[in-house]
C-alpha cells in the first residue's frame, strides 16, 4: 500500500479557507460608496495537489451617486452605466455569507476596502465582516521592501502585471491573493481566473446626448 503524500510544511501555516477581496468605490472619502467587489475564495489544501481550487465572485452596484473623476479613471465605470445597476443592498446578504465562511480575509489596503464594505453592510442592517483580516500592503511594508507598497508596485516585485490599465475588482482580488501567497513563501501559483464582467451586470440603454439627466 503506497504511503500517503506528506503535507508540505508551508501548507501548515495557511488557513483552510482563504478569501481575497477587492472593493472599488466612488472615491476615497468617508462618505463614498461601493461600485464593485471582487472575491476569490481558495481552499488552501488544494495547493498541495498543484491544482488550486478557487471560486470567484464579481459584482457591480449602483452607488447612488457619481464617482469622483479620479476614481472613475481607476475603475472605468461611468455614472450612466452605474445608475442602471442593482443597489448593493440586494446582494450584500449573499456576499456576507461568502465572507462568513472564510478563515482569513485578504485585501491590499484592507483598511480602505473593509471600511467601505462595512459601511454598506451597516446601511443594509448587516453585521461587519467577522473574519480575521490580513492586509498585504501592511505586510509588504513590514518586510522592509523599498519603494512604494501600492498593489501595482508589489506585483512588479513579484513579476506579475495586470491585464489592462483599469483596476477591476476581480483581478485585484486575485492579485491580492497572489501577494499573500508570495508573502507566505507558498511555492504554488494560482492561475489568473477568467476576468469576466460582473455576474449581475445589467444592460444599459443608449446614452443620451449632452449632459446626463439628474438621477431619479
Amino acid at each position: 500500500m503506497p504511503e500517503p503524500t506528506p503535507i508540505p510544511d508551508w501548507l501548515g501555516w495557511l488557513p483552510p479557507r482563504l478569501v481575497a477581496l477587492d472593493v472599488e468605490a466612488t472615491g476615497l472619502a468617508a462618505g463614498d460608496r461601493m461600485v464593485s467587489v471582487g472575491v476569490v475564495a481558495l481552499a488552501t489544501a488544494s495547493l498541495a495537489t498543484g491544482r488550486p481550487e478557487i471560486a470567484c465572485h464579481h459584482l457591480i452596484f449602483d452607488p447612488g451617486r457619481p464617482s469622483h473623476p479620479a476614481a472613475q479613471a481607476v475603475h472605468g465605470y461611468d455614472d450612466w452605466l452605474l445608475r442602471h445597476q442593482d443597489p448593493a443592498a440586494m446582494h450584500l446578504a449573499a456576499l456576507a455569507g461568502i465572507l462568513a465562511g472564510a478563515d482569513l480575509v485578504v485585501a491590499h489596503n484592507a483598511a480602505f476596502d473593509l471600511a467601505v464594505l462595512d459601511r454598506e453592510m451597516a446601511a443594509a442592517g448587516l453585521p461587519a465582516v467577522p473574519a480575521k483580516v490580513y492586509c498585504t500592503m501592511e505586510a509588504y511594508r513590514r518586510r522592509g521592501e523599498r519603494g512604494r507598497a501600492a498593489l501595482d508596485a508589489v506585483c512588479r516585485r513579484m513579476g506579475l502585471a495586470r491585464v489592462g490599465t483599469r483596476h477591476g475588482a476581480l483581478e485585484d482580488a486575485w492579485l491580492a491573493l497572489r501577494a499573500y501567497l508570495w508573502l507566505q513563501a507558498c511555492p504554488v501559483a494560482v492561475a489568473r481566473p477568467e476576468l469576466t464582467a460582473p455576474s449581475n451586470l445589467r444592460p444599459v440603454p443608449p446614452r443620451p446626448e449632452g449632459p446626463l439627466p439628474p438621477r431619479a
Side-chain angles (χ1 to χ4, degrees), residues 65-93:
R65 57 181 294 180
S67 295
H68 187 280
Q72 183 176 318
V74 170
H75 60 63
Y77 298 124
D78 68 12
D79 187 49
W80 183 247
L81 182 145
L82 290 176
R83 67 172 66 186
H84 290 92
Q85 306 309 313
D86 298 330
M90 290 181 60
H91 299 273
L92 288 178

Side-chain angles (χ1 to χ4, degrees), residues 15-22 38-47 51-58 95 97-106 170 173-174 177 181 190-191 193:
R17 188 167 185 272
L18 185 66
V19 172
L21 168 80
D22 183 75
V39 172
V40 180
L42 169 68
T44 56
S46 67
L47 291 167
R51 298 183 298 276
E53 299 172 6
I54 62 172
C56 298
H57 308 272
H58 190 197
L95 182 59
I98 295 167
L99 297 176
D103 297 295
L104 184 69
V105 172
V106 170
L170 180 59
W174 172 75
L177 173 64
L181 295 175
V190 176

Side-chain angles (χ1 to χ4, degrees), residues 114-202:
L114 271 297
V116 175
L117 182 57
D118 286 346
R119 284 199 303 269
E120 298 288 350
M121 292 287 191
L126 295 169
V129 176
K132 182 180 177 182
V133 176
Y134 181 101
C135 179
T136 51
M137 184 176 73
E138 294 300 327
Y140 184 80
R141 286 173 172 160
R142 288 195 298 269
R143 279 172 59 105
E145 298 283 349
R146 295 183 178 181
R148 301 176 65 242
L151 184 56
D152 282 357
V154 176
C155 289
R156 285 193 295 271
R157 177 70 174 81
M158 294 188 294
L160 288 175
R162 64 177 68 255
V163 168
T165 58
R166 304 290 189 188
H167 284 233
L170 180 59
E171 184 176 29
D172 279 11
W174 172 75
L175 290 171
L177 173 64
R178 290 293 303 269
Y180 171 81
L181 295 175
W182 177 74
L183 288 163
Q184 301 302 313
C186 172
V188 180
V190 176
R192 191 189 312 263
E194 184 179 358
L195 299 178
T196 56
S199 59
N200 64 330
L201 180 68
R202 290 177 175 271

